Amino acid sequence: MSNPRVAGAGVTKFGKHPERTGRDLFAEAGLEALDQSGVDPDDVDALFYGNFMGELAEHQGHQGPLMAEAIGLDVPATRFEAACASAGATVRAAVKDLRNGEADVIVVGGAERMTNIGTAAATDALAIAADDLYEVRAGMTFPGAYALMARSYFEAYGGSREDLAHIAVKNHEHALVNDHAQIQKEITVEDALEAPTIASPLGLYDSCPITDGAAAAVLTSEAYAEDHGLDAPVAVSGTGQGGDNLALQDRDHFAQTPAADKAAREAYADAGVSAADVDVAEVHDCFTIAEVLAIESLGLYERGEGITAATDGETSRHGDLPVNLSGGLKAKGHPVGATGVAQLATIAWVLDGSHPRADAVEDGRVGVCHNAGGTVASTTVHVLEVAE
Amino acid sequence: MIDAAPDGAYDAWLDSIEDDAPYYLECENGHGWLPPRRICPECRSRDLTEEPLPDSGEVTTHTTITVPTPQFEDDAPYVTAVVDFGPVSITGIVRGIDPEDVAIGTVVGLEVGERVTTGDRAVVFRPR
Ligand SMILES: [Zn+2]
């Protein structure tokens, strides 16, 4: 099967830009991706665009055509919404269309404007990724949901808040040289443990910040990249997506993420690789515990063993399997609808050697992106490989 | 919040708790769910019947939320927990116990309470 190429990617500085509209954020990322790709904009066949809370944050629905216009494209443009996995879903849809010959060039990406509405309203908007009747009305927040999962994990497998703190410390350290990152500040385990609690057992430093930002990538068919002599050495070789009951209460257990298990199995099989082949990963660490659940679902760690990976230094940039070299959602920030494509951009840049942390994985060939929606009721996993 | 019509089967379910006759929905293969449901997502049975919910359940997992949504501003801090009633698990707010004392395994009963912030009905658990 032919594997689509990442021809270019663009990511805005993630952070607090309350005065910048979603369309302005996406235009910056999208134009950067197009410029970097060397693709003639007339050759773009479609825009697949991810966004979660546009109606609440900007009173703006129907963002697909708006964003196409913002980057100078007159193409079919569709918005994908899968909570925090919205952008991952755009990548998956594009890979399928590029493989089956429906298209030669697709722009994928997403944007989220969140800080303009303030913390309380953003907390409210994020919460609606959960079940309104049975979770939101029981006071569930997004951090609260992951807190429920963290406590279940500790109960099932052990681990401590200190192990979670090591994940935050690692991801903050990784972000120090990432100029796209929202937080470029080193923290200590003590800082994390002493930070105010948001939803016990999770504290402020277990949580990603509220972020404005956008990310975009130009994906092309393999044939298009070859015919046009594009500098596009990284291919998307595997795609997978899994689902689960929306409400935590309807699942068998809360210390595993079966939607991610399914997505990973499918993506690895599609790419013809196994977890053992993975050199580097960007995973959805909206909360520190989420990184643990992710690396276990990806098969990088056995159940119950992911919790100590950061404590033991294995997932740091000096370790055998660097996770979240970008700083992750924790330090890089999490503009919800953009995250999945920001992960793709990071892995592409790490594999082509242009990322500031690329030296952590010299001669890396295989990277994986894990993008989770809500309490992991949606997950996409993509495998990226050096193709040439 | 949008002021709108009641949420049919969900509000009827809250009513059943207030009437001391709470139920859950069970398919012919014994899978339990909460309304509204027209099909068992597990086995696709459409033969769902209302069965009485057990009197009490055990806390499976819990969190004390200190940063709430605006609809819970005056409720915070509060404990949100998932409680295993056997055929179904239910998410709600634990009251009548110090948050520090809520633990996995704490046995609680089910009732309908009011949200401090908005006055809306909420699923509440109290130690049994
Ligand atoms: Zn059933």
Side-chain angles (χ1 to χ4, degrees):
Chain A
M1 188 168 315
S2 81
N3 289 324
R5 300 299 181 85
V6 183
V11 179
T12 67
K13 165 85 177 168
F14 283 2
K16 286 187 178 152
H17 310 295
E19 75 296 347
R20 289 187 64 184
T21 57
R23 67 187 85 181
D24 179 52
L25 290 164
F26 187 72
E28 181 189 333
L31 291 173
E32 187 186 331
L34 280 166
D35 289 349
Q36 201 190 84
S37 72
V39 167
D40 181 342
D42 285 339
D43 288 352
V44 175
D45 295 301
L47 168 67
F48 295 162
Y49 169 80
N51 175 263
F52 174 58
M53 60 173 72
E55 287 83 355
L56 295 170
E58 294 201 279
H59 200 250
Q60 183 66 64
H62 204 187
Q63 292 194 10
L66 177 70
M67 298 305 172
E69 200 182 319
I71 57 172
L73 298 180
D74 177 16
V75 296
T78 308
R79 169 175 157 186
F80 286 67
E81 193 273 295
C84 319
S86 297
T90 71
V91 175
R92 178 168 168 80
V95 166
K96 286 170 175 272
D97 275 7
L98 293 166
R99 277 179 172 170
N100 70 22
E102 287 282 329
D104 288 316
V105 182
I106 298 177
V107 176
V108 296
E112 209 72 58
R113 186 182 185 193
M114 301 171 71
T115 69
N116 59 313
I117 55 176
T119 300
T123 302
D124 193 29
L126 288 166
I128 65 171
D131 183 323
D132 177 60
L133 296 181
Y134 284 104
E135 295 186 311
V136 181
R137 295 182 193 199
M140 188 98 101
T141 61
F142 191 37
Y146 274 90
L148 294 172
M149 296 165 86
R151 196 177 307 276
S152 279
Y153 187 97
F154 290 165
E155 174 79 3
Y157 303 117
S160 66
R161 290 196 60 220
E162 193 167 341
D163 291 319
L164 296 181
H166 278 280
I167 295 168
V169 169
K170 163 183 77 76
N171 290 345
H172 275 257
E173 200 274 338
H174 286 173
L176 287 177
V177 297
N178 178 5
D179 291 335
H180 292 127
Q182 181 166 4
I183 307 172
Q184 289 182 278
K185 185 183 128 210
E186 216 158 351
I187 61 165
T188 65
V189 168
E190 291 68 35
D191 291 336
L193 291 174
E194 285 164 15
T197 303
I198 306 176
S200 65
L202 301 182
L204 191 60
Y205 283 15
D206 289 300
S207 171
C208 63
I210 292 170
T211 311
D212 305 307
V218 179
L219 303 184
T220 76
S221 65
E222 189 170 33
Y224 182 96
E226 279 166 11
D227 292 350
H228 292 76
L230 299 183
D231 176 24
V234 176
V236 185
S237 60
T239 178
Q241 183 167 352
D244 204 343
N245 303 93
L246 185 64
L248 282 176
Q249 66 184 25
D250 292 327
R251 301 187 197 164
D252 292 337
H253 40 63
F254 317 137
Q256 296 182 18
T257 48
D261 293 17
K262 289 177 229 165
R265 271 199 302 272
E266 186 184 359
Y268 289 150
D270 188 24
V273 302
S274 73
D277 297 315
V278 173
D279 297 309
V280 60
E282 284 286 308
V283 307
H284 199 96
D285 61 324
C286 47
F287 298 93
T288 46
I289 186 65
E291 178 164 314
V292 177
L293 299 170
I295 60 180
E296 292 182 4
S297 281
L298 288 168
L300 304 173
Y301 283 84
E302 298 291 323
R303 296 281 177 225
E305 292 179 7
I307 185 75
T308 50
T311 308
D312 296 342
E314 295 160 4
T315 47
S316 85
R317 66 192 174 94
H318 304 295
D320 286 343
L321 181 66
V323 173
N324 286 331
L325 285 172
S326 66
L329 284 52
K330 176 70 198 79
K332 182 184 58 182
H334 180 28
V336 177
T339 286
V341 166
Q343 293 176 323
L344 174 117
T346 298
I347 292 291
W349 292 333
V350 168
L351 294 180
D352 75 16
S354 63
H355 191 276
R357 291 288 190 208
D359 60 352
V361 219
E362 285 198 60
D363 304 320
R365 307 280 310 171
V366 179
V368 64
C369 305
H370 159 282
N371 187 199
T375 49
V376 202
S378 304
T379 311
T380 63
V381 171
H382 288 97
V383 178
L384 272 64
E385 291 186 67
V386 178
E388 54 189 39
Chain B
M1 287 295 278
I2 299 164
D3 203 13
D7 287 303
Y10 174 75
D11 278 303
W13 179 72
L14 290 182
D15 292 344
S16 79
I17 301 170
E18 289 180 333
D19 295 344
D20 284 329
Y23 55 81
Y24 69 98
L25 302 179
E26 190 178 76
C27 76
E28 58 205 314
N29 294 312
H31 303 125
W33 304 96
L34 294 170
R37 292 270 180 194
R38 287 171 186 266
I39 187 169
C40 170
E42 191 76 30
C43 67
R44 300 201 188 103
S45 165
R46 297 191 187 192
D47 186 11
L48 306 181
T49 55
E50 291 181 6
E51 301 293 333
L53 197 67
D55 264 359
S56 62
E58 283 188 13
V59 171
T60 308
T61 183
H62 60 95
T63 176
T64 301
I65 292 180
T66 38
V67 180
T69 65
Q71 288 84 39
F72 284 86
E73 201 179 344
D74 299 331
D75 293 73
Y78 56 90
V79 178
T80 291
V82 181
V83 172
D84 181 358
F85 282 88
V88 290
S89 288
I90 302 174
T91 311
I93 299 167
V94 185
R95 290 187 181 152
I97 177 174
D98 191 305
E100 296 286 314
D101 295 335
V102 178
I104 291 171
T106 298
V107 175
V108 295
L110 177 67
E111 60 186 66
V112 174
E114 258 189 11
R115 259 189 250 171
V116 177
T117 312
T118 63
D120 289 322
R121 293 198 289 179
V123 172
V124 165
F125 305 123
R126 276 184 203 280
R128 273 280 154 102

